[in-house]
Structures are given as C-alpha cells and as structure tokens.
Amino acid sequence: MSNVFSDAPGALDAELAELINRLPKVELHVHLEGTLEPELAYRLAGRNGLALPFGSVEEIRAAYEFSDLQSFLDVYYAACSVLVTREDFRDLTLAYLARAHADGVRHVEPFFDPQTHTTRGIPIADVIDGILDGLAEGEHLYGITSGLILSFLRHLPVDSANATLAAAEPWLDRIVAVGLDSSEIGFPPEPFAGTFARARSLGLRAVAHAGEEGDASLVPRTIDALGVSRIDHGVRAADDPAVMQRLVDSGITLTACPISNVRLRVFPTMDRSTIRTLLAAGVAVTINSDDPAYFGGYIGDNYRAITAALGLTADDLHRLAANAIEGSFAAPERKQELTNELARAVCR
Ligand code: HPA
Ligand code: ZN
C-alpha cells in the first residue's frame, strides 16, 4: 500500500507536532460508515452471522487501494452490510468517538447515509437511534458534543431522498443538517434543490460535497442550488479565483480532507494540495478525516500530514482550528468555550 506520508518534504517540527496534539479539534467532515475499522467489521459480521468476503483483517486492509472516488465507494458500501442492529450503529459511533477523543476532538458533526441501510431493509429507526445512543454515550464519556448530519446519496433518485427526509421527520429535532454525498461526476446538485429547500424549511442547515472530483464550477452551482452553508471538500475551488472570492464573501466553510484527497487521487501527492492557496485567499478551510478507517488516518494524522507537506506554520494551524469552530453548527456558547480553549492551546 502506498504511504500517504511518504511525500512529505520533511519531518514534522516537534513544536508543531505538540501544538497539533494540543489543539481542541472540531471535525466537520467524517462519514460514520467510513469509520468502520476492519476489526469491528469482523466482530459485527460474527455477531450477525454474516460472512465477509475476506480471509483476514490484513487482507481487508490490503484491498484498500483506490484509483478514484468510485473504486472506494464500491468497497465502502459493500462493507456496510455488517451494520444490522441498533447496537451495531451505537458501537460504530462510540468506536469513532473513542478514537476522536484520543486526537483531541471536542465537537463533531458526523454524516450518516440512511439510504445505504434502508435499501438493505434496515429500519431507519435502528440506524438513527443507534447513532444517537452512541453520540449520547460519547458525550457522557468524553465530553464530545455533536450535531448529526443526514446525508443523501446523489446516485439514487431524488424521490428516494425525499422519502428519506420524510421518514426521518420524527428525529429532526436531533439532526442539525442535511448533506449530499456519493459519486460527484454525473450526479449534479440541481435535481436535489427541492429536497434541500424542504429540509431548510424544516429548520435544518445544509451542506454538500462538491469540488472533490468535480471542477471548481460545481462549488457555486451547489451553493446556488442547495443553499448550503458549508461545502464538503471544495478543494478544486482553488482553481478559480472568482470561486474563492465568492467563498470568502459568503463566509462559506470548506471541509477539506487531505489524506482522502491523496488516497482517492484528487491530488497526486500531498504537497499538491490546494489548502495553502485557499488559506492565502482567506477561504475558511478546515482539516478533517472523511473516511479514516479506509484512508489510514484520523483527524490528527490529517493535521500532521498537511502541515509537513505544505510547511504550515503555527498561525496556519490556529486559523484552521478556528475556522472549524466558527464553521460548526454548535450553539454560540459552545463555540465560545471552544474558542477560549483554542486561545489557551496556542498561547502556551
Ligand atoms: N465523497 C463522496 N461521497 C463520500 C465520500 C467522499 O469523499 N466519502 C464517503 N462518501
Ligand atoms: Zn466525504
């Protein structure tokens, strides 16, 4: 397997590594299904009497070599078959939170894809209640606050997205936003305008993946069609100064995922990431993990890898962490707490 860290020009400075450890982190782009580690997949398969098409955990990890977004999504959706019961979704969520806690995550806004499960006959109640169980336990154990994001699969028909939103209505007071993910090429945002308008009218915020494999023009098109307040990935925006200016003027946050971008070949190497260009233009970019179990790095690894590859400074790290707090959907008091904690972390 290629090593995403091998293209870093130099070792990470020890003081910056310490600062990264201390930063109170807010994660705004992580798919709960993408946190399914092979060991847990095996445990759940055993518990549910299911066979996995791999002989060992090592074989699974060896198969995680991706040529593009679709080659990853095929594996990711297939692995979800081991998630069956409410308890499975609770265990998945809690395992992620334990790992996130070790990385200094204080607040998280994770995605889940209900259609990946309801299309297999899993009741949406078991999916959402299981995740909410895990989030509540994680807050109790680790103090990590959260806002759950219900994400629609863009490769499925709009009617399916509308039915999913309707089915989730009993839980909407515990869901902060809707999102849009899956294959970007060939599945434009515009058909989902009505779904997103309905979600926003119900009081939900909106985010969507764009400008990952798609070009910079998908970023303003997604903002216009869906009324989003964040763009997930969005790193191709750096190819067009007018698009970057639009992001700055509208205060829209980008949730970048550096290791994901190298593993899915959005960029050939980490040092080709556009994050420096985005930071220099004043775009509110943030650092996140996307699907850490598949890409081999949680949020701390992403901070370390991009810092080493681009030679980011302590000021850059402060800005990235502050962008995540400001771009979150946390309550104003929680944002203030996190901002105070960040100020203490950078002033040592
Ligand atoms: N892009 C689109 N859909 C996804 C991703 C991604 O990076 N990860 C999980 N679903
Ligand atoms: Zn994603």
Side-chain angles (χ1 to χ4, degrees):
M1 195 188 298
S2 66
N3 180 355
V4 293
F5 306 108
S6 63
D7 49 63
L12 183 57
D13 173 272
E15 276 184 33
L16 289 179
E18 258 304 298
L19 173 59
I20 290 171
N21 287 341
R22 284 202 308 273
L23 289 176
K25 298 174 189 74
V26 167
E27 178 143 58
L28 302 179
H29 186 158
V30 59
H31 302 260
L32 286 172
E33 294 89 345
T35 70
L36 178 62
E37 292 285 350
E39 289 81 1
L40 181 58
Y42 258 95
R43 195 151 61 75
L44 297 183
R47 190 157 91 185
N48 293 317
L50 300 165
L52 278 180
F54 293 98
S56 67
V57 163
E58 291 69 35
E59 251 185 68
I60 299 187
R61 286 224 162 81
Y64 290 176
E65 188 69 54
F66 309 113
S67 52
D68 58 9
L69 174 59
Q70 193 60 51
S71 67
F72 154 70
L73 290 172
D74 293 343
V75 175
Y76 161 89
Y77 294 133
C80 285
S81 63
V82 301
L83 296 163
V84 178
T85 65
R86 173 172 175 166
E87 191 186 7
D88 296 342
F89 288 94
R90 173 249 179 215
D91 289 356
L92 174 73
T93 304
L94 204 51
Y96 161 71
L97 291 172
R99 187 63 187 72
H101 173 64
D103 268 0
V105 171
R106 302 287 194 275
H107 178 83
V108 60
E109 297 182 358
F111 303 114
F112 75 111
D113 293 333
Q115 291 154 293
T116 300
H117 315 298
T118 54
T119 53
R120 298 182 288 120
I122 310 295
I124 196 167
D126 291 348
V127 178
I128 303 182
D129 284 332
I131 293 172
L132 292 172
D133 289 345
L135 292 175
E137 284 185 62
E139 179 163 3
H140 179 72
L141 286 171
Y142 309 121
I144 300 178
T145 52
S146 63
L148 185 58
I149 303 179
L150 184 161
S151 198
F152 303 111
L153 297 178
R154 66 200 309 158
H155 70 272
L156 295 182
V158 173
D159 285 352
S160 172
N162 291 335
T164 301
L165 182 59
E169 280 205 21
W171 292 271
L172 292 190
D173 58 334
R174 282 152 289 166
I175 288 173
V176 76
V178 289
L180 187 66
D181 61 13
S182 191
S183 324
E184 185 176 6
I185 306 284
F187 298 97
E190 287 83 2
F192 294 92
T195 316
F196 272 64
R198 165 105 185 114
R200 286 186 284 106
S201 77
L202 292 169
L204 297 173
R205 320 292 273 274
V207 302
H209 284 55
E212 179 186 18
E213 283 196 333
D215 66 21
S217 71
L218 264 307
V219 171
R221 276 176 58 188
T222 300
I223 297 167
D224 290 336
L226 305 183
V228 295
S229 36
R230 296 198 300 250
I231 290 284
D232 297 310
H233 293 295
V235 285
R236 294 260 62 110
D239 299 337
D240 185 338
V243 172
M244 288 198 288
Q245 195 55 50
R246 169 117 194 242
L247 292 170
V248 173
D249 294 343
S250 55
I252 286 179
T253 298
L254 296 189
T255 64
C257 305
I259 294 177
S260 167
N261 288 164
V262 176
R263 295 300 308 276
L264 300 186
R265 312 211 186 164
V266 171
F267 303 121
T269 52
M270 186 71 73
D271 58 354
R272 300 282 293 279
S273 163
T274 57
I275 285 174
R276 172 167 290 303
T277 307
L278 294 163
L279 275 173
V283 176
V285 62
T286 64
I287 301 297
N288 308 271
S289 70
D290 206 4
D291 302 285
Y294 291 87
F295 303 148
Y298 283 78
I299 189 170
D301 300 311
N302 276 274
Y303 267 99
R304 283 184 283 277
I306 197 68
T307 299
L310 300 185
L312 299 183
T313 64
D315 282 348
D316 293 329
L317 290 168
H318 187 182
R319 181 76 262 149
L320 289 164
N323 287 345
I325 297 170
E326 289 158 19
S328 78
F329 300 135
E333 315 80 66
R334 181 68 178 139
K335 286 190 183 187
Q336 192 57 56
E337 279 173 16
L338 293 167
T339 301
N340 295 345
E341 202 187 333
L342 178 59
R344 289 193 297 275
V346 296
C347 282
R348 286 219 326 221

